[in-house]
Amino acid sequence: ASMPKVKIYVKKGERFLVKDLLYSLMLESHNDSAVVLAEYIGKQMLGGELARKDTAEYSVEESKQAVAAFAALMNQKAADLGCVDTFFVTPNGLDGTASFVTQDEATQNDLSGEHHTTARELAKIMSYCIMTSTQRELFLKITATPDYSFHANGKDYNCTNHNAFLNMMEGMLSGKTGFT
């Protein structure tokens, strides 16, 4: 709920389908959709009580822990792709600074820094998304969709793809608009 301007105005306790939030994120750049998805995925990395707890019941601090765990996953994927000038803090691309510790069975990593990347590394990540990822077909379907509507929590939501290049350039497959 604390996310800035571009959002669908998620309220505590509301439930959404992951698919709907992916369209919300990729077409409209809804910042709160990114955080809800990060909490959902990140909580699975926390283990123990927090992994079993419903994210709707998370405190602000617990939400931050789940988002940090998700950011750690994003950073690991970026490193796996050879991105050495990328450090993710936020799931939505907004500026952020973080210092957090991740721990698995074998290692503990202290991660700190400001959210940043380069155009070259964003291109490398996009190439992975559309060429190599096991989810590439779904990614391409979502990012090429002109409009998407869904109903959740008694409300109707409409998402419009703001990527003008999809209609301007022949052969354009995908992309993501945005700025920070």
Side-chain angles (χ1 to χ4, degrees):
S2 67
M3 290 295 102
K5 281 188 189 179
V6 182
K7 57 185 176 178
I8 61 172
Y9 296 91
V10 171
K11 291 181 180 54
K12 186 172 183 138
E14 290 183 324
R15 300 206 177 268
F16 292 88
L17 296 176
V18 168
K19 177 180 97 171
D20 293 339
L21 291 177
L22 289 172
Y23 278 94
S24 169
L25 172 65
M26 296 306 291
L27 302 185
E28 290 285 350
S29 296
H30 288 140
N31 292 306
D32 51 354
S33 293
V35 173
V36 171
L37 289 164
E39 286 176 339
Y40 175 74
I41 295 167
K43 86 171 204 159
Q44 298 169 42
M45 307 309 298
L46 296 175
E49 177 68 27
L50 289 180
R52 291 185 295 278
K53 189 174 183 179
D54 188 331
T55 55
E57 301 304 318
Y58 272 12
S59 68
V60 171
E61 186 55 40
E62 291 167 336
S63 172
K64 287 179 181 178
Q65 288 178 43
V67 170
F70 179 75
L73 287 173
M74 290 175 36
N75 286 318
Q76 182 58 57
K77 177 53 84 176
D80 292 347
L81 296 175
C83 298
V84 296
D85 292 318
T86 295
F87 183 73
F88 295 116
V89 174
T90 65
N92 49 22
L94 295 175
D95 293 339
T97 302
S99 178
F100 49 88
V101 175
T102 61
Q103 187 169 351
D104 60 29
E105 296 168 5
T107 62
Q108 177 175 319
N109 298 307
D110 292 317
L111 302 171
S112 62
E114 292 185 8
H115 189 98
H116 66 274
T117 191
T118 65
R120 178 182 303 270
E121 292 190 357
L122 277 178
K124 197 179 274 194
I125 293 166
M126 179 59 89
S127 177
Y128 165 79
C129 290
I130 66 173
M131 303 291 284
T132 311
S133 169
T134 58
Q135 297 298 313
R136 67 184 171 275
E137 290 178 25
L138 179 59
F139 182 85
L140 287 167
K141 178 183 176 187
I142 291 172
T143 58
T145 298
D147 295 290
Y148 181 81
S149 298
F150 64 97
H151 184 84
N153 306 297
K155 297 180 246 176
D156 292 317
Y157 298 91
N158 298 303
C159 302
T160 301
N161 195 330
H162 296 281
N163 187 353
F165 286 116
L166 290 173
N167 298 318
M168 290 172 44
M169 298 175 65
E170 177 139 355
M172 183 68 157
L173 295 176
S174 181
K176 177 69 185 83
T177 61
F179 67 92
T180 60

